[in-house]
Coordinates of all heavy atoms in Angstrom, one line a residue:
A1 N 0.8 -1.2 0.0 CA 0.0 0.0 0.0 C 0.8 1.3 0.0 O 0.4 2.3 -0.4 CB -0.9 0.0 1.2
G2 N 2.1 1.2 0.5 CA 2.9 2.4 0.5 C 3.6 2.8 -0.8 O 4.4 3.7 -0.8
V3 N 3.2 2.1 -1.9 CA 3.9 2.3 -3.2 C 3.7 3.8 -3.6 O 4.6 4.3 -4.3 CB 3.3 1.4 -4.2 CG1 1.9 1.6 -4.5 CG2 4.1 1.4 -5.5
G4 N 2.6 4.4 -3.3 CA 2.4 5.8 -3.7 C 3.4 6.8 -3.1 O 3.5 7.9 -3.6
F5 N 4.1 6.4 -2.1 CA 5.1 7.3 -1.5 C 6.4 7.3 -2.3 O 7.3 8.2 -2.1 CB 5.4 6.9 -0.1 CG 6.2 7.9 0.7 CD1 5.5 9.0 1.2 CD2 7.5 7.8 1.0 CE1 6.2 10.0 2.0 CE2 8.2 8.7 1.7 CZ 7.5 9.8 2.2
L6 N 6.6 6.3 -3.2 CA 7.9 6.3 -4.0 C 8.2 7.5 -4.7 O 9.3 8.0 -4.7 CB 7.9 5.0 -4.9 CG 7.9 3.7 -4.2 CD1 7.9 2.6 -5.3 CD2 9.1 3.6 -3.3
P7 N 7.3 8.1 -5.5 CA 7.6 9.4 -6.2 C 7.8 10.5 -5.2 O 8.7 11.4 -5.5 CB 6.4 9.6 -7.1 CG 5.3 8.8 -6.6 CD 6.0 7.6 -6.0
V8 N 7.1 10.5 -4.1 CA 7.3 11.5 -3.1 C 8.7 11.4 -2.5 O 9.3 12.4 -2.3 CB 6.2 11.4 -2.0 CG1 6.4 12.4 -0.9 CG2 4.8 11.5 -2.6
S9 N 9.1 10.2 -2.3 CA 10.4 9.9 -1.8 C 11.5 10.5 -2.7 O 12.5 11.1 -2.2 CB 10.6 8.4 -1.6 OG 12.0 8.1 -1.3
F10 N 11.4 10.3 -4.0 CA 12.4 10.9 -4.9 C 12.4 12.4 -4.8 O 13.5 13.0 -4.8 CB 12.0 10.4 -6.3 CG 13.0 10.9 -7.3 CD1 14.3 10.5 -7.4 CD2 12.6 12.0 -8.2 CE1 15.2 11.0 -8.4 CE2 13.5 12.5 -9.1 CZ 14.8 12.0 -9.2
I11 N 11.2 13.0 -4.7 CA 11.2 14.5 -4.6 C 11.8 14.9 -3.3 O 12.5 15.9 -3.2 CB 9.7 15.0 -4.7 CG1 9.2 14.7 -6.1 CG2 9.6 16.5 -4.4 CD1 7.7 14.9 -6.2
L12 N 11.5 14.2 -2.2 CA 12.1 14.5 -0.9 C 13.7 14.4 -0.9 O 14.4 15.2 -0.3 CB 11.6 13.6 0.2 CG 10.1 13.9 0.5 CD1 9.6 12.8 1.5 CD2 9.9 15.3 1.1
F13 N 14.2 13.4 -1.7 CA 15.6 13.3 -1.9 C 16.2 14.6 -2.5 O 17.2 15.1 -2.1 CB 16.0 12.1 -2.7 CG 17.4 12.0 -3.0 CD1 18.4 11.7 -2.1 CD2 17.8 12.3 -4.3 CE1 19.7 11.6 -2.4 CE2 19.2 12.3 -4.7 CZ 20.1 11.9 -3.7
L14 N 15.5 15.0 -3.6 CA 16.0 16.2 -4.2 C 15.9 17.4 -3.3 O 16.7 18.4 -3.4 CB 15.2 16.5 -5.5 CG 15.2 15.5 -6.6 CD1 14.3 15.9 -7.7 CD2 16.6 15.2 -7.1
G15 N 15.0 17.3 -2.3 CA 14.9 18.4 -1.3 C 16.1 18.5 -0.4 O 16.2 19.5 0.4
L16 N 16.9 17.5 -0.4 CA 18.2 17.5 0.5 C 19.2 18.5 -0.1 O 20.1 18.9 0.6 CB 18.8 16.1 0.6 CG 18.0 15.1 1.4 CD1 18.7 13.7 1.2 CD2 18.0 15.4 2.9
W17 N 19.1 18.8 -1.4 CA 20.1 19.6 -2.0 C 20.3 21.0 -1.3 O 21.4 21.4 -1.1 CB 19.7 19.8 -3.5 CG 20.7 20.7 -4.3 CD1 20.5 22.1 -4.6 CD2 22.0 20.4 -4.8 NE1 21.6 22.5 -5.2 CE2 22.5 21.5 -5.4 CE3 22.7 19.2 -4.8 CZ2 23.8 21.6 -6.0 CZ3 24.0 19.2 -5.4 CH2 24.5 20.4 -6.0
P18 N 19.2 21.8 -1.0 CA 19.4 23.0 -0.3 C 20.1 22.9 1.0 O 20.8 23.9 1.5 CB 18.0 23.6 -0.2 CG 17.2 22.9 -1.2 CD 17.8 21.5 -1.3
G19 N 20.0 21.7 1.7 CA 20.7 21.6 3.0 C 22.0 20.9 2.9 O 22.5 20.5 4.0
R20 N 22.6 20.7 1.7 CA 23.8 19.9 1.6 C 24.9 20.4 2.4 O 25.7 19.7 3.0 CB 24.2 19.8 0.1 CG 24.5 21.2 -0.5 CD 24.6 21.1 -2.0 NE 24.9 22.4 -2.7 CZ 24.1 23.3 -2.9 NH1 22.8 23.2 -2.5 NH2 24.5 24.5 -3.5
N21 N 25.1 21.8 2.5 CA 26.2 22.3 3.3 C 26.1 22.1 4.8 O 27.1 22.1 5.5 CB 26.3 23.8 2.9 CG 26.8 24.1 1.5 OD1 27.7 23.4 1.0 ND2 26.1 25.0 0.8
E22 N 24.9 22.0 5.3 CA 24.7 21.7 6.7 C 24.7 20.2 7.0 O 24.9 19.8 8.2 CB 23.4 22.3 7.2 CG 23.3 23.8 7.0 CD 22.4 24.5 8.0 OE1 22.4 24.1 9.2 OE2 21.7 25.4 7.6
L23 N 24.5 19.4 6.0 CA 24.5 17.9 6.3 C 25.9 17.3 6.1 O 26.2 16.4 6.8 CB 23.5 17.3 5.3 CG 22.0 17.5 5.6 CD1 21.2 17.0 4.4 CD2 21.6 16.9 6.9
F24 N 26.6 17.7 5.1 CA 27.8 17.1 4.7 C 29.0 17.9 5.0 O 29.3 18.9 4.2 CB 27.8 16.7 3.2 CG 26.5 15.9 2.9 CD1 25.6 16.4 1.9 CD2 26.3 14.7 3.5 CE1 24.5 15.6 1.6 CE2 25.1 13.9 3.1 CZ 24.2 14.4 2.2
F25 N 29.8 17.6 6.0 CA 30.9 18.4 6.4 C 32.0 18.4 5.4 O 32.8 19.3 5.2 CB 31.5 17.8 7.7 CG 32.2 16.6 7.6 CD1 33.6 16.6 7.4 CD2 31.6 15.3 7.6 CE1 34.3 15.4 7.2 CE2 32.3 14.1 7.4 CZ 33.6 14.2 7.2
W26 N 32.1 17.3 4.6 CA 33.1 17.1 3.6 C 33.0 18.0 2.4 O 33.9 18.0 1.6 CB 33.2 15.6 3.2 CG 31.9 15.0 2.9 CD1 31.2 14.2 3.8 CD2 31.1 15.0 1.7 NE1 30.1 13.7 3.2 CE2 30.0 14.2 2.0 CE3 31.3 15.7 0.5 CZ2 29.0 14.1 1.0 CZ3 30.3 15.6 -0.4 CH2 29.2 14.8 -0.2

């Protein structure tokens, strides 16, 4: 039943881009 979240998951992954400098010290 959770299959509908898969496209949402991909969009949320792209949402990590603005926070990259605070997430990845390297």
Side-chain angles (χ1 to χ4, degrees):
V3 66
F5 194 78
L6 292 181
V8 178
S9 171
F10 179 72
I11 295 171
L12 291 173
F13 170 76
L14 298 180
L16 290 171
W17 177 261
R20 62 194 182 280
N21 291 315
E22 298 206 41
L23 289 171
F24 307 119
F25 75 93
W26 41 262

